[in-house]
Amino acid sequence: MYRIVSALAVAVTCLAAVGAAHADQGAAAYPDRPIKIVIPYSAGGGTDQFMRIVSERASRVLGQPITILNKPGGSTVIGVNAVIGAAPDGYTLLVSTNTSYTLIPYVMSPQPYAPAKSLDYVATLGQTSMVLTANKTMPSDLKTVLDAARQSPGRYTYATYGVGSSTHLAGEVFMNDTGVEFRHIPYKGVEAVTALAGNQVDLMIDGINAAGTMLDAGKTQALVVLQRTRSQFLPDTPTLVEAGYPEAAENVISYVMATPKGTPAAVIDKLQKSFAEALRDPGVLSQIKAMRTEAAFKGPAQTQAFVDSQSALFKDIVEKKNIKF
């Protein structure tokens, strides 16, 4: 009996070693076929445009074609779950804005997915800052707006892309940090932008890349960028620090790449190095700058730290305001 058990133990150990060897071999050969990137937004949006620029260069670095697959719907849940359910081999990747990892899982009930249990982070690839904009009938300086809002809570309205969206939570964080209360008016997608330009609402927080068109056209005005240093895309707009709120939370829209949980470390390492190289290409940098976005590369560990900090920020606001879909 002892000999049988010993033989079985040896066999199991050998099989495990063979499996590990095959996994290592597969990782070393990666990639040997086309790669698919799932984007949980419609084609033509900021995330889609950014990734089509960057992935074209990364595919040359990796030596394999990269296909963009748009899977919008369910506040990004459909696309995220499509990746979570894929094989953890590096051939199905997810690129979404940071809210898919830091916000959506915590405002939907029941929880649609648990990022920590379902995904491994590859990198943060780029970002666009967020800006508080106002319609043209509003005062042009932030102090006047905030003073009036404190005197009459709910006097001013702010548009968002919907309850639980990044624009909604950015607004809640901003109000919490500045001690004011705007009245939330949720819209479906870009209707929020046209409502602001049409003076149907007073304010909106959005990414600079999305807000830029109306700002350039003179239909809206920028009051403050939600960061501590001035944006190269809105050099004349003051920052949170300049506005007198150095402790207020910064808000950015980041493009984060992830893979299904269990993807080999060697595959993740090759992916993050390849996309980092793509983001050093002058042609790529020029194209993404034209869409008011900037390269902001962070590796797996830095991305995890960023996701953790953002999750803590949003969880606090979600619980404080009792925000639910």
Side-chain angles (χ1 to χ4, degrees):
M1 184 66 179
Y2 174 76
R3 290 177 180 175
I4 293 173
V5 171
S6 297
L8 284 171
V10 170
V12 169
T13 301
C14 289
L15 285 172
V18 170
H22 278 296
D24 290 342
Q25 186 177 11
Y30 175 85
D32 59 9
R33 62 182 189 273
I35 297 166
K36 175 174 63 180
I37 295 179
V38 174
I39 293 177
Y41 299 104
S42 300
T47 311
D48 179 74
Q49 291 181 48
F50 177 84
M51 282 314 300
R52 288 183 189 276
I53 293 168
V54 177
S55 63
E56 191 279 330
R57 182 68 182 89
S59 71
R60 283 185 271 150
V61 178
L62 288 162
Q64 288 292 339
I66 296 177
T67 301
I68 302 294
L69 180 61
N70 299 95
K71 279 188 172 291
S75 297
T76 76
V77 170
I78 291 173
V80 173
N81 277 328
V83 174
I84 288 172
D89 54 14
Y91 291 97
T92 303
L93 312 176
L94 171 69
V95 174
S96 188
T97 56
N98 46 301
T99 52
S100 289
Y101 313 99
T102 63
L103 172 60
I104 299 301
Y106 310 112
V107 295
M108 297 187 76
S109 183
Q111 187 178 31
Y113 53 85
K117 297 178 181 178
S118 307
L119 296 166
D120 287 325
Y121 295 108
V122 176
T124 300
L125 304 175
Q127 68 180 34
T128 183
S129 303
M130 300 192 85
V131 58
L132 174 65
T133 56
N135 69 42
K136 294 295 284 187
T137 70
M138 289 284 287
S140 60
D141 68 290
L142 182 67
K143 185 178 185 304
T144 301
V145 171
L146 296 185
D147 287 346
R150 289 192 189 96
Q151 292 174 9
S152 304
R155 171 182 176 180
Y156 295 128
T157 55
Y158 80 104
T160 74
Y161 294 137
V163 176
S165 66
S166 59
T167 53
H168 178 199
L169 268 292
E172 294 290 351
V173 170
F174 179 80
M175 289 188 292
N176 182 70
D177 289 345
T178 55
V180 300
E181 190 64 42
F182 303 138
R183 184 156 47 91
H184 179 209
I185 309 294
Y187 286 88
K188 293 181 180 179
V190 295
E191 293 175 5
V193 179
T194 54
L196 180 69
N199 302 329
Q200 296 167 32
V201 287
D202 300 313
L203 303 159
M204 183 174 182
I205 291 177
D206 203 356
I208 287 176
N209 54 356
T213 301
M214 291 298 182
L215 289 170
D216 289 346
K219 294 183 177 180
T220 60
Q221 54 184 330
L223 300 185
V224 64
V225 289
L226 306 188
Q227 58 186 46
R228 286 167 176 64
T229 57
R230 290 214 175 192
S231 168
Q232 62 177 310
F233 305 113
L234 291 174
D236 298 326
T237 303
T239 67
L240 287 168
V241 174
E242 293 170 305
Y245 299 95
E247 302 304 316
E250 292 186 281
N251 256 298
V252 297
I253 296 173
S254 296
Y255 303 118
V256 177
M257 176 179 284
T259 62
K261 195 73 172 179
T263 300
V267 169
I268 289 176
D269 186 57
K270 189 161 190 178
L271 281 168
Q272 63 112 351
K273 287 178 178 176
S274 298
F275 277 89
E277 182 175 338
L279 287 167
R280 290 192 291 268
D281 184 282
V284 169
L285 294 174
S286 176
Q287 289 182 75
I288 63 177
K289 182 179 180 180
M291 54 178 290
R292 295 184 177 88
T293 302
E294 54 191 338
F297 186 84
K298 299 183 183 75
Q302 288 177 299
T303 298
Q304 181 70 67
F306 168 72
V307 168
D308 290 346
S309 66
Q310 287 280 293
S311 296
L313 173 66
F314 287 138
K315 280 181 183 178
D316 181 62
I317 291 295
V318 165
E319 291 174 4
K320 189 173 184 178
K321 299 281 189 174
N322 193 30
I323 298 168
K324 295 288 182 184
F325 272 104

